[in-house]
Structures are given as structure tokens and as C-alpha cells.
Amino acid sequence: MIIQQPELPKDKPATESQQYGFELSDFISENIWYLAIFVLIVALVILDYYRRKNR
């Protein structure tokens, strides 16, 4: 049994972010926790480096 789609969806013009393909604000808002953890780890590594350097 083949189910046919009664009508095809009509094409809509792409929005500005769809044309560009990447929006920095979208990326940051979707990955805020991963970015925060990454920044925390980098900060800890830098602090440890300076702590060991001063010993």
C-alpha cells in the first residue's frame, strides 16, 4: 500500500541565518553549558600552570 502526499509543501525563501548557515548567537545559546565547562577547565589549567611556575 502506497500512501501519497496530497500536496507538496511550497518553497519558502530562506531566512538570513539559513542562507548563511551559521549564527554565533544560536551556537552560544545552544551550547552554553559546554562552553562554560570548557572555559572553567581552561582557567583551572592556566591557574595550575602559574601556581607550579611560582614554586
Side-chain angles (χ1 to χ4, degrees):
M1 179 176 178
I2 297 176
I3 300 173
Q4 293 182 347
Q5 190 172 355
E7 72 179 49
L8 296 174
K10 295 182 178 164
D11 287 338
K12 296 178 185 174
T15 63
E16 186 177 330
S17 64
Q18 288 173 336
Q19 285 179 338
Y20 184 61
F22 178 77
E23 184 94 17
L24 184 61
S25 61
D26 291 340
F27 175 78
I28 292 173
S29 66
E30 291 173 4
N31 297 302
I32 189 70
W33 291 112
Y34 300 111
L35 294 171
I37 291 170
F38 177 75
V39 168
L40 178 66
I41 291 172
V42 169
L44 290 174
V45 168
I46 291 171
L47 288 173
D48 187 56
Y49 169 75
Y50 283 120
R51 185 180 60 92
R52 289 176 188 246
K53 186 178 175 183
N54 289 334
R55 276 188 174 182

Coordinates of all heavy atoms in Angstrom, one line a residue:
M1 N 0.8 -1.2 0.0 CA 0.0 0.0 0.0 C 0.9 1.2 0.0 O 1.7 1.4 0.9 CB -0.9 0.0 1.2 CG -1.8 1.2 1.3 SD -2.9 0.9 2.8 CE -3.7 2.4 2.7
I2 N 0.7 2.1 -0.9 CA 1.5 3.3 -1.0 C 0.6 4.5 -0.6 O -0.5 4.7 -1.1 CB 1.9 3.5 -2.5 CG1 2.9 2.4 -2.9 CG2 2.6 4.9 -2.6 CD1 3.3 2.5 -4.4
I3 N 1.1 5.3 0.3 CA 0.4 6.5 0.8 C 1.0 7.7 0.1 O 2.2 7.9 0.2 CB 0.5 6.6 2.3 CG1 -0.1 5.4 3.0 CG2 -0.1 7.9 2.8 CD1 0.1 5.4 4.5
Q4 N 0.2 8.4 -0.6 CA 0.7 9.5 -1.4 C 0.4 10.8 -0.6 O -0.6 11.0 0.0 CB 0.1 9.6 -2.8 CG 0.6 8.5 -3.6 CD 0.0 8.6 -5.0 OE1 -0.9 9.4 -5.3 NE2 0.5 7.8 -5.9
Q5 N 1.4 11.7 -0.7 CA 1.2 13.0 -0.1 C 0.2 13.9 -0.9 O 0.4 14.0 -2.1 CB 2.5 13.8 0.1 CG 2.5 15.0 0.9 CD 3.9 15.5 1.2 OE1 4.8 14.9 0.8 NE2 3.9 16.7 1.8
P6 N -0.9 14.4 -0.3 CA -1.9 15.1 -1.2 C -1.3 16.3 -1.9 O -1.7 16.5 -3.0 CB -3.0 15.5 -0.2 CG -2.4 15.3 1.2 CD -1.2 14.4 1.1
E7 N -0.5 17.1 -1.3 CA 0.1 18.2 -2.0 C 1.5 18.4 -1.4 O 1.8 18.2 -0.2 CB -0.7 19.5 -1.8 CG -0.7 20.1 -0.5 CD -1.6 21.4 -0.5 OE1 -2.7 21.3 -0.9 OE2 -1.1 22.4 0.0
L8 N 2.4 18.9 -2.2 CA 3.8 19.1 -1.8 C 3.9 20.5 -1.1 O 3.2 21.4 -1.4 CB 4.7 19.1 -3.0 CG 4.8 17.8 -3.8 CD1 5.6 18.0 -5.0 CD2 5.4 16.7 -2.9
P9 N 4.7 20.6 -0.1 CA 4.9 21.9 0.6 C 5.5 22.9 -0.4 O 6.3 22.5 -1.2 CB 5.8 21.5 1.8 CG 6.5 20.3 1.4 CD 5.6 19.5 0.5
K10 N 5.1 24.1 -0.2 CA 5.6 25.1 -1.1 C 7.0 25.7 -0.5 O 7.2 25.8 0.7 CB 4.6 26.3 -1.2 CG 3.4 25.8 -1.8 CD 2.4 26.9 -2.0 CE 1.1 26.4 -2.7 NZ 0.0 27.2 -2.6
D11 N 7.8 26.0 -1.4 CA 9.1 26.5 -1.0 C 9.0 27.9 -0.4 O 8.2 28.8 -0.9 CB 10.1 26.6 -2.2 CG 10.6 25.3 -2.7 OD1 10.6 24.3 -1.8 OD2 11.0 25.1 -3.8
K12 N 9.7 28.1 0.6 CA 9.7 29.5 1.3 C 11.1 30.0 1.1 O 12.1 29.3 1.1 CB 9.4 29.4 2.8 CG 8.0 28.8 3.1 CD 7.8 28.7 4.6 CE 6.5 28.1 4.9 NZ 6.3 27.9 6.3
P13 N 11.2 31.3 1.0 CA 12.6 31.9 0.9 C 13.3 31.7 2.2 O 12.8 31.7 3.3 CB 12.4 33.4 0.6 CG 11.0 33.6 0.9 CD 10.2 32.3 0.8
A14 N 14.6 31.4 2.1 CA 15.5 31.2 3.3 C 15.6 32.5 4.1 O 15.7 33.6 3.6 CB 16.8 30.7 2.8
T15 N 15.7 32.3 5.4 CA 15.9 33.4 6.3 C 17.4 33.8 6.2 O 18.2 33.0 5.6 CB 15.6 33.1 7.7 OG1 16.4 32.0 8.2 CG2 14.1 32.7 7.9
E16 N 17.8 34.9 6.8 CA 19.2 35.3 6.7 C 20.1 34.3 7.3 O 21.2 34.0 6.8 CB 19.3 36.7 7.4 CG 20.7 37.3 7.2 CD 20.8 38.6 7.8 OE1 19.8 39.4 7.9 OE2 21.9 39.0 8.3
S17 N 19.7 33.7 8.5 CA 20.6 32.8 9.2 C 20.7 31.4 8.4 O 21.7 30.8 8.4 CB 20.2 32.6 10.6 OG 18.9 32.0 10.7
Q18 N 19.6 31.1 7.7 CA 19.6 29.9 6.9 C 20.5 30.0 5.7 O 21.1 29.1 5.3 CB 18.2 29.5 6.5 CG 17.4 29.0 7.7 CD 15.9 28.8 7.3 OE1 15.4 29.4 6.3 NE2 15.2 27.9 8.0
Q19 N 20.5 31.2 5.1 CA 21.3 31.4 4.0 C 22.8 31.4 4.4 O 23.6 30.8 3.7 CB 21.0 32.8 3.3 CG 19.8 32.8 2.5 CD 19.5 34.2 1.9 OE1 20.0 35.2 2.4 NE2 18.7 34.2 0.9
Y20 N 23.1 32.0 5.5 CA 24.5 32.0 5.9 C 24.9 30.6 6.5 O 26.0 30.2 6.3 CB 24.7 33.1 7.0 CG 26.1 33.2 7.5 CD1 27.1 33.6 6.6 CD2 26.4 33.0 8.8 CE1 28.4 33.7 7.0 CE2 27.7 33.2 9.2 CZ 28.7 33.5 8.4 OH 30.0 33.6 8.8
G21 N 23.9 29.9 7.1 CA 24.2 28.6 7.6 C 24.7 28.5 9.1 O 24.8 27.5 9.6
F22 N 25.1 29.6 9.6 CA 25.7 29.6 11.0 C 25.4 31.0 11.6 O 25.7 32.0 11.0 CB 27.2 29.4 10.9 CG 27.8 29.4 12.3 CD1 27.7 28.3 13.1 CD2 28.6 30.4 12.7 CE1 28.3 28.3 14.4 CE2 29.2 30.5 13.9 CZ 29.1 29.4 14.8
E23 N 24.9 30.9 12.8 CA 24.7 32.2 13.6 C 25.4 32.0 14.9 O 25.1 31.0 15.7 CB 23.2 32.4 13.8 CG 22.8 33.6 14.4 CD 22.5 34.8 13.5 OE1 22.3 34.5 12.3 OE2 22.5 35.9 13.9
L24 N 26.3 32.9 15.3 CA 27.1 32.7 16.5 C 26.2 32.7 17.8 O 26.4 31.9 18.7 CB 28.1 33.8 16.6 CG 29.0 33.7 17.8 CD1 29.8 32.4 17.8 CD2 30.0 34.9 17.9
S25 N 25.2 33.6 17.8 CA 24.3 33.6 18.9 C 23.5 32.3 19.1 O 23.3 31.9 20.2 CB 23.3 34.8 18.8 OG 22.5 34.7 17.7
D26 N 23.1 31.7 18.0 CA 22.4 30.4 18.1 C 23.4 29.3 18.7 O 23.0 28.5 19.5 CB 21.9 29.9 16.8 CG 20.8 30.8 16.2 OD1 20.1 31.5 17.1 OD2 20.5 30.8 15.0
F27 N 24.6 29.3 18.2 CA 25.6 28.4 18.7 C 25.8 28.5 20.2 O 25.8 27.6 20.9 CB 26.9 28.5 17.9 CG 28.0 27.7 18.4 CD1 28.0 26.3 18.1 CD2 29.0 28.2 19.2 CE1 29.0 25.5 18.6 CE2 30.0 27.4 19.7 CZ 30.0 26.0 19.4
I28 N 26.0 29.8 20.6 CA 26.3 30.0 22.0 C 25.1 29.6 22.9 O 25.2 29.0 23.9 CB 26.7 31.5 22.3 CG1 28.1 31.7 21.6 CG2 26.7 31.9 23.7 CD1 28.5 33.2 21.6
S29 N 23.9 30.0 22.5 CA 22.7 29.7 23.3 C 22.4 28.2 23.4 O 21.9 27.7 24.4 CB 21.5 30.4 22.8 OG 21.1 30.0 21.5
E30 N 22.8 27.5 22.3 CA 22.5 26.0 22.3 C 23.6 25.3 23.1 O 23.4 24.1 23.5 CB 22.4 25.5 20.9 CG 21.2 26.0 20.2 CD 21.2 25.6 18.7 OE1 22.1 24.9 18.3 OE2 20.2 26.0 18.0
N31 N 24.8 25.8 23.2 CA 25.9 25.1 23.8 C 26.5 25.9 25.0 O 27.7 25.7 25.3 CB 27.0 24.9 22.8 CG 26.5 24.1 21.6 OD1 26.1 23.0 21.8 ND2 26.6 24.6 20.4
I32 N 25.7 26.6 25.7 CA 26.2 27.4 26.8 C 26.9 26.6 27.9 O 27.9 27.0 28.5 CB 25.1 28.4 27.4 CG1 25.7 29.4 28.4 CG2 24.0 27.6 28.1 CD1 26.5 30.4 27.7
W33 N 26.3 25.5 28.3 CA 26.9 24.7 29.4 C 28.2 24.1 29.0 O 29.2 24.0 29.8 CB 25.9 23.6 29.8 CG 24.8 24.1 30.5 CD1 23.5 24.2 30.1 CD2 24.7 24.8 31.8 NE1 22.7 24.8 31.0 CE2 23.4 25.2 32.0 CE3 25.7 25.2 32.7 CZ2 23.1 25.9 33.2 CZ3 25.4 25.9 33.9 CH2 24.1 26.2 34.1
Y34 N 28.3 23.6 27.7 CA 29.6 23.0 27.2 C 30.7 24.1 27.2 O 31.8 23.9 27.6 CB 29.4 22.4 25.9 CG 28.4 21.3 25.8 CD1 27.2 21.4 25.2 CD2 28.7 20.1 26.5 CE1 26.3 20.4 25.2 CE2 27.8 19.1 26.5 CZ 26.6 19.2 25.8 OH 25.7 18.2 25.8
L35 N 30.3 25.3 26.7 CA 31.3 26.4 26.7 C 31.7 26.8 28.1 O 32.9 27.1 28.3 CB 30.7 27.6 25.9 CG 30.4 27.3 24.4 CD1 29.6 28.5 23.8 CD2 31.7 27.1 23.7
A36 N 30.8 26.9 29.0 CA 31.1 27.3 30.4 C 32.1 26.3 31.0 O 33.0 26.6 31.7 CB 29.8 27.4 31.2
I37 N 31.8 25.0 30.8 CA 32.7 23.9 31.3 C 34.1 24.0 30.7 O 35.1 23.9 31.4 CB 32.1 22.5 31.2 CG1 30.8 22.4 32.1 CG2 33.1 21.4 31.4 CD1 30.0 21.2 31.8
F38 N 34.1 24.3 29.4 CA 35.4 24.4 28.7 C 36.2 25.6 29.2 O 37.4 25.5 29.5 CB 35.1 24.6 27.2 CG 36.4 24.8 26.4 CD1 37.2 23.8 26.1 CD2 36.7 26.1 25.9 CE1 38.4 24.0 25.4 CE2 37.8 26.3 25.2 CZ 38.7 25.3 24.9
V39 N 35.5 26.7 29.4 CA 36.2 27.9 30.0 C 36.7 27.6 31.4 O 37.8 28.0 31.8 CB 35.3 29.1 29.9 CG1 35.8 30.3 30.8 CG2 35.0 29.6 28.5
L40 N 35.9 26.9 32.2 CA 36.3 26.6 33.6 C 37.6 25.7 33.6 O 38.5 25.9 34.3 CB 35.2 25.9 34.3 CG 35.5 25.4 35.7 CD1 35.7 26.6 36.6 CD2 34.4 24.6 36.3
I41 N 37.6 24.7 32.7 CA 38.7 23.8 32.6 C 40.0 24.6 32.2 O 41.1 24.4 32.7 CB 38.4 22.6 31.7 CG1 37.4 21.7 32.4 CG2 39.7 21.8 31.4 CD1 36.9 20.6 31.5
V42 N 39.8 25.4 31.2 CA 41.0 26.2 30.7 C 41.5 27.1 31.8 O 42.7 27.2 32.0 CB 40.6 27.0 29.4 CG1 41.7 28.0 29.1 CG2 40.4 26.1 28.2
A43 N 40.6 27.7 32.5 CA 41.0 28.6 33.6 C 41.8 27.8 34.7 O 42.8 28.3 35.2 CB 39.8 29.3 34.2
L44 N 41.3 26.6 35.0 CA 42.0 25.8 36.0 C 43.4 25.4 35.6 O 44.3 25.3 36.4 CB 41.1 24.6 36.4 CG 39.8 24.8 37.2 CD1 39.0 23.6 37.3 CD2 40.2 25.4 38.5
V45 N 43.5 25.0 34.3 CA 44.8 24.6 33.8 C 45.8 25.8 33.8 O 46.9 25.7 34.2 CB 44.6 24.1 32.3 CG1 46.0 24.0 31.6 CG2 43.9 22.8 32.3
I46 N 45.3 27.0 33.4 CA 46.2 28.2 33.5 C 46.6 28.5 34.9 O 47.7 28.8 35.2 CB 45.5 29.4 32.8 CG1 45.3 29.1 31.3 CG2 46.2 30.7 33.1 CD1 44.5 30.1 30.5
L47 N 45.6 28.5 35.8 CA 45.9 28.8 37.2 C 46.9 27.7 37.8 O 47.9 28.1 38.5 CB 44.7 28.8 38.1 CG 43.7 30.0 37.9 CD1 42.5 29.7 38.7 CD2 44.4 31.2 38.3
D48 N 46.8 26.5 37.4 CA 47.7 25.5 37.9 C 49.1 25.7 37.3 O 50.1 25.5 38.0 CB 47.2 24.1 37.5 CG 48.1 23.0 38.1 OD1 48.2 23.0 39.3 OD2 48.6 22.1 37.3
Y49 N 49.1 26.1 36.0 CA 50.4 26.4 35.4 C 51.2 27.5 36.1 O 52.4 27.4 36.4 CB 50.2 26.8 33.9 CG 51.4 27.3 33.3 CD1 52.5 26.5 32.9 CD2 51.6 28.7 33.1 CE1 53.6 27.0 32.3 CE2 52.7 29.2 32.4 CZ 53.7 28.4 32.1 OH 54.8 28.9 31.5
Y50 N 50.5 28.6 36.4 CA 51.1 29.7 37.2 C 51.5 29.3 38.6 O 52.5 29.8 39.1 CB 50.3 30.9 37.1 CG 50.3 31.6 35.8 CD1 49.1 31.8 35.0 CD2 51.5 32.1 35.3 CE1 49.2 32.4 33.8 CE2 51.6 32.7 34.0 CZ 50.4 32.9 33.3 OH 50.4 33.5 32.1
R51 N 50.7 28.5 39.2 CA 51.0 28.1 40.6 C 52.2 27.2 40.6 O 53.1 27.4 41.5 CB 49.8 27.3 41.1 CG 49.9 26.9 42.6 CD 48.7 26.1 43.1 NE 48.5 24.9 42.3 CZ 49.1 23.7 42.7 NH1 49.8 23.6 43.8 NH2 48.8 22.6 42.0
R52 N 52.4 26.3 39.6 CA 53.6 25.5 39.6 C 54.8 26.3 39.2 O 55.9 26.0 39.6 CB 53.4 24.3 38.6 CG 52.4 23.3 39.1 CD 52.1 22.2 38.0 NE 51.1 21.3 38.4 CZ 51.3 20.1 38.7 NH1 52.5 19.5 38.6 NH2 50.3 19.3 39.0
K53 N 54.6 27.3 38.3 CA 55.7 28.1 37.9 C 56.3 28.9 39.0 O 57.5 29.1 39.1 CB 55.2 29.0 36.8 CG 56.3 29.8 36.1 CD 55.7 30.7 35.0 CE 56.8 31.5 34.4 NZ 56.2 32.4 33.3
N54 N 55.5 29.4 40.0 CA 55.9 30.2 41.1 C 56.5 29.4 42.2 O 57.1 30.0 43.1 CB 54.8 31.1 41.6 CG 54.4 32.1 40.6 OD1 55.2 32.6 39.8 ND2 53.1 32.6 40.7
R55 N 56.5 28.1 42.2 CA 57.1 27.3 43.3 C 58.5 27.3 43.2 O 59.2 27.3 42.3 CB 56.5 25.9 43.2 CG 55.2 25.7 43.9 CD 54.8 24.3 44.0 NE 53.6 24.2 44.8 CZ 53.1 23.0 45.0 NH1 53.6 21.9 44.6 NH2 52.0 23.0 45.8

